[in-house]
Amino acid sequence: MDAITLGPLLLPYSRLPGVLALILLLLVSEILDKKHPGLARWGWMTAVIGGLGGRLAFAAMNPSAYVDEPWSLVYFWQPGYSWWGALLAAVVFSVWYFRKHPALRTSGLMLLVASSLVGLLTLVLLPQSDTGEQLPELLLHDLEGEEVKLSSYQGQPLVVNLWATWCPPCRREMPMLESYEDDERLQVVLVNQGESLLAVTDYLQEEQLSFANVLLDPAQKTMNEYSAPGLPATLFYSAEGKLVDRHFGELSRGQVEEFLRRHGQGLDK
């Protein structure tokens, strides 16, 4: 499992270092604000600027993810951050801020270092994802009732998305996934979990979504195969059929573009 389940919410391990560093920064700066007036204001401003720096650095490495929808840069709840970009932005801003407020320099820098170390240490200690696994020989059915082996999609970069019609984040990411249907750089395979053929086809028709590869898994064998803690769940495979990454929770275009940048076959969109 690569995520923490918080009731209906999923917190991917990849976000945990940033979340812990952010909580420490904001909590301690608020506590110390009475003794060091202005520290809480610096903490909140550093958090915002660090987040913005992390997003902009990620966007610089994956510009195609934001060309058509530049406003999605401010969708801060979606994944797509660079930890080094966030840290660099926080450090540069803090150096500038403490020149104007020298009384906060010692306490602020100590808190920034402590928060950064907590985040980096968490990043190092997190369990690594089980990558390198081959596409499983799961036998599923397509919308025509034909048997399909999941392993039959090996041959080009592959995104396998586990979803359900009742799942709000699944529904939000569907239009983005559909936009890759005509993209020669990858295949997208949707594997519905636990629902009937009628429920799936009705939903796709109502939302006017068209996918070439939609599979049904009423027994949720795929979720068990990947030990998915919830939906949506997305698996990324190389052209050789090797698992190279996985993500639990809502997917962003930036993640797909980063996958293509690292594991694509040199095709331009």
Side-chain angles (χ1 to χ4, degrees):
M1 186 184 298
D2 294 341
I4 297 172
T5 304
L6 302 171
L9 302 177
L10 289 177
L11 178 63
Y13 283 163
S14 59
R15 298 191 190 186
L16 195 57
V19 169
L20 291 180
L22 191 62
I23 289 174
L24 180 63
L25 177 69
L26 296 178
L27 184 62
V28 176
S29 65
E30 286 285 354
I31 292 173
L32 297 179
D33 191 65
K34 289 184 178 180
K35 185 176 181 181
H36 304 282
L39 193 64
R41 182 170 181 268
W42 161 81
W44 284 98
M45 292 177 69
T46 301
V48 171
I49 290 174
L52 184 59
R55 174 54 57 85
L56 290 177
F58 181 86
M61 294 186 293
N62 303 280
S64 57
Y66 302 97
V67 169
D68 295 332
E69 300 176 344
W71 55 86
S72 63
L73 281 167
V74 298
Y75 291 176
F76 290 121
W77 61 89
Q78 289 189 349
Y81 289 92
S82 163
W83 67 266
W84 63 262
L87 183 58
L88 179 61
V91 169
V92 170
F93 168 73
S94 295
V95 169
W96 172 83
Y97 190 87
F98 293 145
R99 283 184 177 177
K100 294 181 173 293
H101 303 84
L104 300 175
R105 183 178 300 146
T106 300
S107 56
L109 288 178
M110 289 178 63
L111 180 53
L112 182 61
V113 169
S115 301
S116 302
L117 288 177
V118 166
L120 293 174
L121 186 61
T122 305
L123 184 65
V124 171
L125 295 179
L126 279 177
Q128 298 298 308
S129 298
D130 295 327
T131 56
E133 301 171 5
Q134 203 70 22
L135 262 169
E137 297 285 332
L138 283 174
L139 191 61
L140 304 169
H141 291 83
D142 63 20
L143 298 184
E144 304 300 323
E146 299 293 330
E147 290 187 340
V148 179
K149 277 189 176 181
L150 197 56
S151 57
S152 67
Y153 291 101
Q154 181 176 329
Q156 70 180 114
L158 175 67
V159 175
V160 178
N161 182 261
L162 312 187
W163 69 289
T165 64
W166 51 261
C167 164
C170 301
R171 297 167 70 101
R172 287 196 297 268
E173 66 188 15
M174 281 286 160
M176 181 272 293
L177 289 171
E178 186 192 34
S179 70
Y180 286 97
E181 275 297 291
D182 297 325
D183 196 320
E184 296 181 351
R185 298 175 296 170
L186 81 165
Q187 293 185 92
V188 175
V189 177
L190 302 182
V191 186
N192 180 267
Q193 298 298 291
E195 295 183 292
S196 67
L197 171 62
L198 182 60
V200 173
T201 54
D202 281 353
Y203 169 76
L204 294 176
Q205 289 174 3
E206 288 172 5
E207 299 298 323
Q208 299 182 339
L209 296 168
S210 178
F211 291 94
N213 303 305
V214 180
L215 304 179
L216 301 176
D217 182 10
Q220 302 184 38
K221 295 182 293 186
T222 321
M223 283 190 72
N224 292 330
E225 173 72 25
Y226 294 113
S227 300
L231 297 175
T234 308
L235 300 310
F236 298 90
Y237 284 90
S238 67
E240 296 74 33
K242 299 266 179 144
L243 181 65
V244 295
D245 198 6
R246 67 178 79 196
H247 176 75
F248 298 124
E250 186 173 351
L251 190 67
S252 72
R253 186 179 297 276
Q255 288 176 290
V256 179
E257 291 296 328
E258 184 178 36
F259 162 65
L260 287 170
R261 180 172 59 86
R262 293 182 176 181
H263 303 283
Q265 296 176 307
L267 294 173
D268 294 328
K269 186 174 179 180

